[in-house]
Every structure is written in structure tokens, then in C-alpha cells.
Amino acid sequence: MEVYTQELPMRTSRRVELIDITSMVTGVLESSGIRNGILNVFSRHSTSAIFINENESRLLSDIESMLEGAVPVDASYGHNIIDNNADSHLRAVLLGGSQTVPVINGSMDLGTWQSIFFAEFDGPRNRRIRVSVAGKP
Amino acid sequence: MEVYTQELPMRTSRRVELIDITSMVTGVLESSGIRNGILNVFSRHSTSAIFINENESRLLSDIESMLEGAVPVDASYGHNIIDNNADSHLRAVLLGGSQTVPVINGSMDLGTWQSIFFAEFDGPRNRRIRVSVAGKP
Amino acid sequence: MEVYTQELPMRTSRRVELIDITSMVTGVLESSGIRNGILNVFSRHSTSAIFINENESRLLSDIESMLEGAVPVDASYGHNIIDNNADSHLRAVLLGGSQTVPVINGSMDLGTWQSIFFAEFDGPRNRRIRVSVAGKP
């Protein structure tokens, strides 16, 4: 078995932004030469998340609304005394910062309606995502 | 190290249904011949989730109620214009579509009160779950 | 590739307690001798969780408040007839019981503000966390 890893740098453009990174992750998998195993996408930040779902614009707005309902931006958080982004951290805790996906015959085994998203909750910022692949060539 | 993978097809019977798949996953692990490593259970759908918790019927009802509180079925979601299942997608985003479990001496290292569940949020449907095991025979 | 695994026993001291276990996990990684791969931290309990975020005391209080808002302790849960800890299970389902982290050149590839936390939701108790590392020496 082999291990391959690559860091994906990105620039986000809004405070809250849901970005489809499936093709970037596919590029790393192709560079890896690994054909069967597992792939991990990990965000190296505590105010962002990685999730998998359908890339449909109205649904992405619904996801933003759900998060605004569960963790409102303007609530009185203790952490905001330190750094005015507690909502960004709390949303990151709720969604989680990584996803692990099976790799079969050289491709991620995603379903038809599954895309991988980077969820920015405290942008615009420069961000780094680590993609790791473990498996057989 | 070896990699073994198998797809588990299933048929769900209700719109929302929490199904204990621990014994099915154990069957895949036994077929793999892998005795030490990690195991990933991945749902290939964006309106379902995988979670680990206790298999107790009242608790499963509590989980359904929690999800109904956090993501009500009848709210006015934008995605419902496309496909009337935004609540199913949002619940999937909240719970996540996969779980990774350690494998020790041929068994999943689950605690006494831990079972693996497939959470159907848009059934009844035919579903496919991918179980992948990486490790040593 | 190699697999290394170790169980971390711990004693929690409050009903709800968020404990930074990063240095304990780093210790396991150092014992493993693995320098590149992935690491999984798995809680063997259904009333606790593992999450990654910033270790800042006001933020940790904000996380506890968010969970109290999403899953209040005193609501009328069906499971409480069996065992008076439904809120602990529900919070565990929401946050998830494991995290997977990339390992690069002998270290976890965590960002500057990322720590690994064990979240106790039904303490004080004795708990067991399983750390598994798969990769190359």
C-alpha cells in the first residue's frame, strides 16, 4: 500500500461560502496513482468545514439558512470578546472538518448527487485543505 | 497492508428510518480477512447518513424528534421547488454520510452500547452503502 | 504500510466536559513510528464525542451553550425512562464519535488553531479512546 498527500491552497471571497471542490480533489487522486483505498479531505482551520451533498444552488442557500438558524451570527457569544467569529467556530464544530471517501478503480465512489464542499464560515481568507490517499496502485 | 471493499445494497421501507447495519458491516469485515486496521462505512447518497449510537427503540425515536426539531419537514426550503426533499438533504449534512471505525484482532472496536446505523431521510428507496477495510491480515 | 493502535483510558470529572487530548494523541503517534499516513481518534462510547477546534475557554463555553440550545438537558425524551441520559446520546449523534487527521513527516497536520477534544456528555465516568495510525514509517 501507498500513501499520497497534497495540500490544496484556496482563496475564499465571502464570509460564508460553500465551494464545490470535487474536481480539485479528483485531481489529487489522479496524481496519486492510487486506484483502490480511501481518501481523506481535511480542512486545517477551525472556522470552516468539509461536507458532502448535492450541488444545487437553492439547496446550498437552504444549508446556509439552516446554519443561520442553528447558530445565528449575532448571538452574544463569549468568544466574540477575543475574536468576533464564534459563530464560525460553532458551525465548524457542528459540521466537522473532514470527510473520508472510498476509492474504487481510480475514482472516488461518490453517488450521482454527491459533491465534496469546502464550507467557509469566516472569509474571505486564504485556506489550506489537505487531501490524503491511502491504498493500492 | 490490504484493502478490501464491498457494496451493501439495501431497501428502506419508510420516509425516515434508522436501520442497525452492524451485523451487515461485521459480515463484510469477516469476508475481508483483515484483522487490524480501520473500516469505513460510506453512504453513496445525499439524503441519508451513517451514525453510531445505542440501539434502543425510545432513543431512536428521540433522534428522529431531535432531527424534526432542528430541520422540520414542512419548512419553506428553496430546494423543494426542484425536488421535495430539502429536509432530507439538510439532515444528511448535519449527521454526515460516513463513519470510520478501528479494527482490532478481527473485530470492530465498538463499545458495548455502540451500533452502526444507516439513517434513511427520503425513503422508501433502494440504497447502496460502501464498506471499505484497510489493514493487515 | 504499518498499522499501530493504542487505547487511551481517561477519567472525566463533570457531566459535560470538553477535554483537550491533543498531547495524548501526539504521544500515541510518536510511539507508532509512523511518519506519513492517517490517524483516527475514536471514542468507544455512545454518550461522548470527538471534535476538533480551537482551545479557547470562552469558545468552549459557547460550544456547551450551543449544545444546550440544540439538545436541552431537561426535555422529555423517551429514552430517559430507560436511562436518564438521552441528551448525552443526542449530542453524541450530532457531533460524531471520531475524527480522522492526516499525518505528515511524523506530526498530525493540524492547523495553528486546531486541537482535538474529547467531549464528555454523561460524566463523570471512566472512558476509553482508541487511537489508530495507518501509514509508512
Side-chain angles (χ1 to χ4, degrees), chain B residues 17 24 28 32 35 43 58 67-69 71 75 77 79-81 86 100 112 114 116 118 121-122 125 128:
Chain B
E17 190 177 3
M24 290 168 72
V28 177
S32 77
R35 293 189 52 80
S43 171
R58 288 178 187 82
L67 291 168
E68 175 60 31
V71 185
Y77 305 109
H79 181 67
N80 284 356
I81 295 163
T100 302
T112 312
Q114 288 184 310
I116 304 175
F118 176 78
F121 296 134
D122 192 31
R125 279 178 189 261
R128 291 182 295 169

Side-chain angles (χ1 to χ4, degrees), chain A residues 2 43-44 78-79 89 130, chain C residues 53 56 62 109 114 136:
Chain A
E2 297 296 320
S43 172
R44 302 182 72 255
H79 180 68
H89 287 279
R130 169 70 64 180
Chain C
N53 216 274
E56 192 280 305
D62 291 335
D109 194 41
Q114 289 185 308
K136 294 191 157 184

Side-chain angles (χ1 to χ4, degrees), chain A residues 1-3 5 7 38 40 42-47 70-71 76-83 85-86 88-94 96-98 100 128 130 132 134-135, chain C residues 1 36-38 51-54 56-67 70 94-95 98-104 108-115 134-136:
Chain A
M1 270 181 64
E2 297 296 320
V3 176
T5 184
E7 198 176 78
I38 54 174
N40 178 261
F42 182 85
S43 172
R44 302 182 72 255
H45 308 280
S46 60
T47 54
V71 184
S76 58
Y77 304 107
H79 180 68
N80 284 357
I81 295 163
I82 306 289
D83 196 4
N85 64 356
S88 321
H89 287 279
L90 295 173
R91 293 169 181 198
V93 169
L94 215 50
S98 84
T100 302
R128 291 183 295 169
R130 169 70 64 180
S132 305
Chain C
M1 271 182 61
N36 288 285
I38 55 174
F51 71 90
I52 293 175
N53 216 274
E54 184 181 350
E56 192 280 305
S57 62
R58 287 177 186 82
L59 179 62
L60 298 179
S61 299
D62 291 335
I63 293 172
E64 292 191 17
S65 299
M66 172 183 70
L67 291 167
L94 215 50
L95 259 58
S98 84
Q99 295 290 334
T100 301
V101 181
V103 173
I104 309 289
M108 285 189 284
D109 194 41
L110 296 168
T112 313
W113 307 105
Q114 289 185 308
S115 293
K136 294 191 157 184

Side-chain angles (χ1 to χ4, degrees), chain C residues 70-132:
Chain C
V71 184
V73 171
D74 58 3
S76 58
Y77 304 108
H79 181 68
N80 284 357
I81 295 163
I82 307 288
D83 196 5
N84 198 30
N85 63 356
D87 62 292
S88 321
H89 287 279
L90 295 173
R91 292 169 181 198
V93 169
L94 215 50
L95 259 58
S98 84
Q99 295 290 334
T100 301
V101 181
V103 173
I104 309 289
N105 297 329
S107 301
M108 285 189 284
D109 194 41
L110 296 168
T112 313
W113 307 105
Q114 289 185 308
S115 293
I116 305 174
F117 284 87
F118 176 78
E120 170 65 85
F121 295 134
D122 192 30
R125 279 177 189 262
N126 294 313
R127 298 298 202 174
R128 291 183 294 170
I129 299 162
R130 168 70 64 181
V131 180
S132 304

Side-chain angles (χ1 to χ4, degrees), chain B residues 92-111:
Chain B
V93 169
L94 215 50
L95 260 57
S98 84
Q99 295 290 334
T100 302
V101 181
V103 173
I104 309 290
N105 296 328
S107 300
M108 287 188 283
D109 195 42
L110 295 168

